[in-house]
């Protein structure tokens, strides 16, 4: 006998893969997945009525703590390497308690902006001098707690970070990122997996929002032999991410040390498989591009960050044509708006190519949604039966969206047009406010801004107006 749904949502219109379907009823099971979908039906009493609905949107690459730098580095000039010094100052100021507050606020901003899932590329593992916190996995558990309290899906991409650069030791400010060796990282990762599983087992009546993935920071920060050991030691089903060729210097350093590009180095290790996602991939050779496409590696682009840091414009259209799915992330969180990331992907292509329509609106939505979910190991996300019940309602009649054709809504809307957000079948945000979660109860009127204000106030060491020059 089929269990009755825990909720039913009726969507006036549902936009998936460029197709607009009217009158869609979604029934949600106790597992937070869609138990049935029926199209072209009128609403019934008891349905929760929604307007224009999109599938859940995935932020496939985030560093939550970078949010503390928003609006604080734009007068410094320079490039990524100079900005990085300010980033280190924030990292050194964080403790598990402070990170819980900050991550809760950042995840809340993501949620009310339309993100239903986030991949947190996390390397703040230990105290500033590299010694473990008294509580095992304190920083990782802070992120998990923040996600659960807000109601967003979290894929914790626990990151190996072992070196300061190719054949370069860690800098003093990087000591807290490292587990000392590949074996040390693998051991901690396995213990963390057991801890998170036990924590989930102790919450049988809550949706399973937190899962564990893995990441190699970059070929700069993980030596080749360490990467080989980690690749051999990770379970095959675990999603794996890595920063790749964000900066030309990474390419030139890798060529000088190994005689190959970062992409070719990964290929030689057997790392280029569909379970891998490479982040940025801004500066690729033609051979690099072909290797990534041939092996079905996902590419996570972060247009707002790549523009903010002056990284450059990646070859997104060519990568997609070669066979690499494109996903999107907010990276440093100078901008948290999935619609602006979608628009940034297409506008970067237009600027580079001198032509419009490089990605269709449907392809942009797939990059922000289904392909992001796939890159995070979350499976299909097209609001079909069995998919996660993650939905985003968008105001199709705002000053920004009025007059837009439904299929082109993603090129007109912004985060300000997000109305209700549903994760695992539960309403967790409504018109910019958190609802129905512990974070909503702790913030005045469910305001993410109140959470952020408190989090920034607790940081004793704030980013200075003048970042030091790179060492």
């Amino acid at each position: 006998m089929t269990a009755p749904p825990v909720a039913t949502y009726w969507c006036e219109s549902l936009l998936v893969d460029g197709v607009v379907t009217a009158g869609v009823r979604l029934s949600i099971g106790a597992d937070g997945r869609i138990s049935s979908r029926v199209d072209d039906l009128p609403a019934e009493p008891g349905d929760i009525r929604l307007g224009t609905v999109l599938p859940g949107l995935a932020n496939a690459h985030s560093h939550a703590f970078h949010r503390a730098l928003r609006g604080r580095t734009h007068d410094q000039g320079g490039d990524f390497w100079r900005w990085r010094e300010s980033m280190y100052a924030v990292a050194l100021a964080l403790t598990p308690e402070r990170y819980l507050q900050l991550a809760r606020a950042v995840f809340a901003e993501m949620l009310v902006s339309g993100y239903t899932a986030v991949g947190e590329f996390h390397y703040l593992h230990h105290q500033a001098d590299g010694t473990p916190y008294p509580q095992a996995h304190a920083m990782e558990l802070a992120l998990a707690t923040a996600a659960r309290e807000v109601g967003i899906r979290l894929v914790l991409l626990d990151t190996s970070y072992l070196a300061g650069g190719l054949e370069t030791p860690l800098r003093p400010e990087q000591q807290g990122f490292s587990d000392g060796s590949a074996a040390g990282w693998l051991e901690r990762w396995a213990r963390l997996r057991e801890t998170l599983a036990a924590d989930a087992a102790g919450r049988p009546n809550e949706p399973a929002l937190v899962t564990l993935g893995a990441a190699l920071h970059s070929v700069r920060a993980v030596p080749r032999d360490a990467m080989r050991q980690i690749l051999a030691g990770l379970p095959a089903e675990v999603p794996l991410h890595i920063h790749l060729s964000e900066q030309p210097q990474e390419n030139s350093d890798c060529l000088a040390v190994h005689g190959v590009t970062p992409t070719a180095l990964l290929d030689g290790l057997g790392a280029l498989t569909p379970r891998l996602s490479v982040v940025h991939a801004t500066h690729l050779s033609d051979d690099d591009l072909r290797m990534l496409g041939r092996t079905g590696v996902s590419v996570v682009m972060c247009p707002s960050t790549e523009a903010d840091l002056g990284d450059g414009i990646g070859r997104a259209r060519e990568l997609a044509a070669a066979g690499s799915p494109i996903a999107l992330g907010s990276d440093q969180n100078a901008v948290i708006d999935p619609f602006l990331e979608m628009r940034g992907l297409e506008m970067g292509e237009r600027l580079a190519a001198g032509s419009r329509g490089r990605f269709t609106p449907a392809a942009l939505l797939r990059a922000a949604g289904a392909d992001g979910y796939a890159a995070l190991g979350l499976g299909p996300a097209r609001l079909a039966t069995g998919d996660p019940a993650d939905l985003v309602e968008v105001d199709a009649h705002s000053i920004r969206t009025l007059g837009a054709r439904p299929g082109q809504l993603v090129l007109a809307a912004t985060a300000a047009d997000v109305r209700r957000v549903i994760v695992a079948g539960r309403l967790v945000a409504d018109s910019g406010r958190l609802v129905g979660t512990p974070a909503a109860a702790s913030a005045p009127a469910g305001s993410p801004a109140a959470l952020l204000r408190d989090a920034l106030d607790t940081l004793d060491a704030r980013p200075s107006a003048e970042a030091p020059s790179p060492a």
Side-chain angles (χ1 to χ4, degrees):
M1 182 176 179
T2 303
V6 296
T8 57
Y9 291 94
W10 181 83
C11 310
E12 182 179 358
S13 60
L14 189 65
L15 176 59
V16 181
D17 291 333
V19 177
V20 180
T21 305
V24 179
R25 177 177 294 114
L26 302 172
S27 298
I28 314 303
D31 60 356
R33 293 183 174 273
I34 296 171
S35 57
S36 71
R37 170 180 163 173
V38 184
D39 300 347
D40 196 24
L41 286 178
E44 294 182 357
D47 289 345
I48 301 171
R49 300 188 182 197
L50 305 174
T52 299
V53 174
L54 312 177
L57 303 176
N59 184 348
H61 186 73
S62 164
H63 302 288
F65 76 97
H66 292 185
R67 172 61 181 83
L69 291 171
R70 185 188 296 178
R72 296 171 180 268
T73 64
H74 304 289
D75 59 348
Q76 295 172 10
D79 55 11
F80 165 84
W81 304 103
R82 178 163 185 169
W83 169 88
R84 191 174 70 155
E85 301 302 315
S86 296
M87 180 268 287
Y88 287 151
V90 174
L92 291 171
L94 290 171
T95 63
E97 296 76 19
R98 292 170 183 165
Y99 206 13
L100 171 59
Q101 278 192 294
L102 182 59
R104 185 165 47 208
V106 177
F107 292 161
E109 183 180 0
M110 290 179 190
L111 193 70
V112 301
S113 299
Y115 286 118
T116 51
V118 56
E120 184 61 28
F121 199 100
H122 168 69
Y123 50 83
L124 304 185
H125 302 307
H126 307 298
Q127 298 184 75
D129 62 358
T131 58
Y133 285 100
Q135 180 191 9
H137 316 299
M139 293 295 258
E140 292 74 28
L141 292 175
L143 290 167
T145 299
R148 281 195 303 268
E149 291 187 358
V150 167
I152 195 170
R153 288 190 193 276
L154 169 68
V155 179
L156 183 58
L157 297 167
D158 193 274
T159 303
S160 177
Y161 195 129
L162 302 173
L166 284 151
E167 298 191 330
T168 303
L170 290 164
R171 294 169 49 163
E173 58 268 35
Q174 297 170 325
Q175 297 298 318
F177 307 165
S178 177
D179 293 291
S181 66
W185 180 84
L186 282 166
E187 290 170 5
R188 187 183 53 74
W189 186 92
R191 293 194 303 271
L192 175 60
R193 194 183 202 193
E194 293 173 356
T195 299
L196 292 175
D199 185 70
R203 303 170 184 272
N205 298 321
E206 296 182 17
L209 295 182
V210 179
T211 56
L212 182 63
L216 305 166
H217 181 274
S218 59
V219 302
R220 290 183 287 111
V222 186
R224 178 170 55 186
D225 289 345
M227 285 195 287
R228 181 181 290 111
Q229 186 174 349
I230 289 170
L231 289 166
L234 276 175
E237 74 277 7
V238 173
L240 179 66
H241 289 220
I242 185 171
H243 293 125
L244 184 77
S245 293
E246 180 180 5
Q247 300 294 324
Q249 183 178 324
E250 178 181 298
N251 292 347
S252 59
D253 289 351
C254 192
L255 284 164
V257 172
H258 297 297
V260 294
T261 65
T263 301
L265 182 65
L266 293 176
D267 188 46
L269 292 169
L272 300 186
T273 69
R275 77 108 164 234
L276 182 70
S277 295
V278 298
V279 181
H280 302 304
T282 308
H283 302 282
L284 299 177
S285 70
D286 291 344
D287 286 343
D288 293 339
L289 190 148
R290 284 190 288 267
M291 279 186 275
L292 294 172
R294 183 183 68 245
T295 52
V297 171
S298 291
V299 178
V300 183
M301 293 192 160
C302 307
S304 64
T305 285
E306 289 145 11
D308 183 73
L309 297 181
D311 289 345
I313 300 172
R315 300 167 67 178
R317 181 64 266 164
E318 294 174 87
L319 282 161
S324 286
I326 305 298
L328 293 170
S330 66
D331 193 3
Q332 62 159 325
N333 295 305
V335 174
I336 295 179
D337 187 326
F339 300 95
L340 293 187
E341 300 296 350
M342 285 186 257
R343 202 166 306 160
L345 179 66
E346 167 63 8
M347 297 310 169
E349 278 288 318
R350 293 182 186 185
L351 289 170
S355 63
R356 306 175 80 220
R358 301 281 287 173
F359 285 92
T360 65
L364 294 173
L365 185 55
R366 186 167 60 251
D371 286 345
Y373 267 65
L376 294 175
L378 294 173
R382 288 186 163 88
L383 298 183
T385 300
D387 286 359
D390 298 351
L391 300 79
V392 179
E393 182 189 26
V394 178
D395 186 352
H397 304 286
S398 77
I399 192 65
R400 290 164 293 278
T401 60
L402 192 63
R405 293 175 178 169
Q408 299 182 39
L409 190 63
V410 297
L411 285 167
T414 72
D417 299 306
V418 171
R419 299 182 68 188
R420 283 168 288 187
V421 179
I422 292 96
V423 176
R426 299 186 178 189
L427 179 65
V428 288
D430 189 344
S431 302
R433 301 287 179 177
L434 303 173
V435 295
T437 61
S442 65
S447 169
L451 294 176
L452 182 62
R453 187 181 307 111
D454 291 344
L456 293 177
D457 285 346
T458 64
L459 285 174
D460 294 333
R462 304 288 288 274
S464 61
E466 287 292 328
S469 299

